[in-house]
């Protein structure tokens, strides 16, 4: 069961990705809702969270007629069934066929599928094909490496998250940097050892407390070279950007993600230094207000710290949330920016 604070934040954000993981009981009205219910929010004092509709009914509550909380599992089953069918076919299937298999009308099913996945069935099929291609190119071993690199505790957790992100590939560089020369250096900064790596198009990795081996694992097929004159100039700009916050949008970056990830990264770059946004803000900024968790995943998949300022995203309750390089660095980056703003 999710902690009450997280559950309440999900309710306030009407975060659809939590539908099915708990229900919101409203003691004053005697009904229970799915977290994303569009009805006016109840007062926190009147709310109690239940594992599912069954437990809420045992407590004497009735299902909300607006959001039909007991239909979540039916919808989930339908979406999973459709996903299985698309996977098995290896291509998109006609919407009418998918809907009929799951017992929905086409328009209703399209809505149910999009609510659960953030994508239409057709877009899901395309994303799936793209991901399969990436897996073939990168090889099974490397997918497994990528799972651990991405910070997941194990493959099943990863595949669960990948399912959530639906075809949004776990490794931005599907072919491991084949045919690409990457120049890199590790330099001391006031935030600790910083690794900067760049292709001839721009910075492709900026991280803290990482070494050459980690870089090699990310780009197993690239030619890694230290230093170089052009790189040295870029490196100086990057160091200045980290030490002296401000507008560093002139520094070229070379990242590759899914359309959704790239939209999130763009939204992050639009946050002014020293300011912060919530995951819900970012999801809304990319036009997918229901995709709060997916926005969080895209934020976490950022490979270029600081220049794509994922440190400017915090929890909606104002607490820092997570950071790939530790909360201390996140806090110090924000502090530095606020100091610079005060001039
Ligand atoms: Zn409701």
């Amino acid at each position: 069961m999710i902690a009450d604070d997280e559950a309440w934040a999900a309710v306030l954000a009407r975060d659809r990705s939590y539908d099915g993981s708990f229900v919101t009981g409203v003691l004053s009205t005697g009904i229970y809702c799915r977290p994303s219910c569009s009805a006016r929010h109840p007062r926190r004092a009147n709310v109690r969270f239940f594992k599912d509709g069954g437990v809420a009914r045992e407590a004497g509550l009735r299902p909300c007629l607006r959001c039909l909380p007991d239909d979540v599992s039916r919808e989930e089953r339908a979406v999973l069934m459709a996903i299985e069918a698309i996977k098995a076919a290896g291509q998109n299937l006609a919407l009418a066929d998918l809907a009929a298999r799951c017992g929905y009308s086409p328009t209703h099913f399209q809505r149910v599928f999009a609510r659960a996945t953030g994508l239409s069935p057709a877009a899901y099929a395309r994303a799936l094909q793209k991901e399969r291609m990436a897996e073939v190119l990168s090889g099974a071993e490397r997918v497994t490496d990528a799972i651990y690199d991405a910070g997941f505790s194990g493959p099943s957790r990863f595949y669960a998250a990948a399912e959530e992100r639906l075809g949004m590939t776990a490794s931005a560089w599907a072919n491991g940097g084949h045919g690409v020369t990457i120049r890199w250096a590790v330099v001391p900064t006031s935030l600790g050892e910083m690794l900067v790596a760049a292709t001839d198009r721009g910075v492709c990795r900026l991280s803290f407390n990482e070494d050459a081996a980690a870089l090699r694992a990310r780009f197993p097929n690239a030619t890694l070279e230290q230093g170089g004159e052009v790189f040295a100039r870029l490196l100086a700009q990057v160091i200045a950007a980290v030490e002296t916050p401000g507008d560093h949008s002139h520094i070229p970056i070379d990242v590759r993600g899914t359309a959704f990830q790239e939209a999130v990264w763009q939204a992050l770059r639009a946050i002014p230094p020293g300011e912060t946004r919530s995951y819900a803000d970012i999801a809304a900024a990319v036009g997918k207000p229901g995709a709060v968790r997916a926005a969080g995943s895209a934020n976490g998949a950022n490979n270029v710290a600081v220049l794509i300022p994922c440190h400017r995203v915090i929890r909606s309750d104002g607490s820092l949330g997570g950071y790939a390089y530790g909360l201390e660095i996140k806090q110090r980056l924000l502090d530095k920016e606020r100091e610079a703003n005060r001039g």
Side-chain angles (χ1 to χ4, degrees):
M1 180 78 193
I2 290 160
D4 279 11
D5 284 354
E6 187 182 351
W8 181 239
V11 168
L12 291 180
R14 294 199 168 88
D15 187 341
R16 285 177 172 147
S17 59
Y18 282 87
D19 286 4
S21 47
F22 67 90
V23 298
T24 315
V26 186
L27 304 182
S28 50
T29 57
I31 62 163
Y32 62 95
C33 288
R34 54 174 88 191
S36 69
C37 181
S38 59
R40 202 162 59 86
H41 288 134
R43 289 184 37 214
R44 177 69 184 87
N46 294 330
V47 166
R48 246 185 83 198
F49 299 107
F50 298 94
K51 193 163 66 64
D52 54 39
V55 184
R57 282 195 300 279
E58 273 168 31
L61 303 177
R62 289 168 288 114
C64 170
L65 292 175
R66 188 146 165 185
C67 64
L68 303 173
D70 295 332
D71 283 8
V72 172
S73 54
R74 177 178 173 234
E75 289 173 3
E76 273 179 357
R77 271 198 307 277
V79 170
L80 286 176
M81 212 199 292
I83 285 174
E84 285 310 314
I86 294 170
K87 276 183 178 165
Q91 61 180 20
N92 188 32
L93 298 165
L95 178 63
D97 288 350
L98 279 176
R101 280 188 212 205
C102 305
Y104 286 92
S105 75
T107 43
H108 188 186
F109 183 69
Q110 173 103 334
R111 207 161 56 233
V112 164
F113 192 93
R115 185 193 290 159
T117 67
L119 298 171
S120 69
Y124 173 75
R126 281 195 300 276
L128 187 69
Q129 276 174 337
K130 221 169 129 182
E131 181 171 66
R132 281 197 176 151
M133 192 81 84
E135 279 175 14
V136 171
L137 284 170
S138 62
E141 279 170 30
R142 230 160 287 121
V143 171
T144 313
D145 286 347
I147 290 167
Y148 292 102
D149 283 349
F152 293 97
S153 51
S156 64
R157 181 74 197 84
F158 164 81
Y159 287 112
E163 204 63 60
E164 260 169 41
R165 291 177 303 179
L166 288 159
M168 298 186 176
T169 164
S171 53
W173 304 273
N175 58 2
H178 180 73
V180 176
T181 297
I182 292 174
R183 297 180 190 280
W184 67 280
V186 170
V187 290
T189 72
S190 62
L191 298 167
E193 301 240 294
M194 176 174 74
L195 180 145
V196 180
T199 66
D200 55 14
R201 295 174 56 203
V203 178
C204 60
R205 178 86 187 151
L206 194 166
S207 58
F208 294 95
N209 302 314
E210 241 188 8
D211 59 11
L215 186 66
R216 165 58 65 199
R218 259 170 215 285
F219 301 98
N221 301 326
T223 305
L224 298 188
E225 284 180 13
Q226 277 195 282
E229 227 175 275
V230 177
F231 178 76
R233 279 200 291 278
L234 182 63
L235 181 62
Q237 290 183 322
V238 174
I239 294 171
V242 169
E243 299 295 358
T244 322
D247 176 19
H248 28 69
S249 55
H250 57 282
I251 300 176
I253 55 178
D254 180 7
V255 289
R256 246 159 292 168
T258 62
F260 180 80
Q261 287 173 328
E262 290 184 2
V264 166
W265 298 338
Q266 285 296 338
L268 297 177
R269 298 195 92 190
I271 308 172
E275 291 187 21
T276 55
R277 300 286 185 270
S278 68
Y279 294 115
D281 292 334
I282 297 301
V286 300
K288 294 223 160 31
V292 177
R293 277 192 184 178
S297 300
N299 194 60
N302 173 27
N303 281 296
V304 180
V306 186
L307 301 182
I308 297 175
C310 54
H311 63 278
R312 292 181 197 146
V313 181
I314 63 172
R315 291 219 178 108
S316 47
D317 65 3
S319 65
L320 269 188
Y323 194 57
Y325 312 109
L327 290 183
E328 198 189 329
I329 290 183
K330 183 173 188 173
Q331 185 66 61
R332 286 172 68 189
L333 279 165
L334 288 171
D335 288 347
K336 265 173 179 290
E337 292 179 355
R338 287 169 185 151
E339 276 161 32
N341 286 353
R342 280 195 294 270

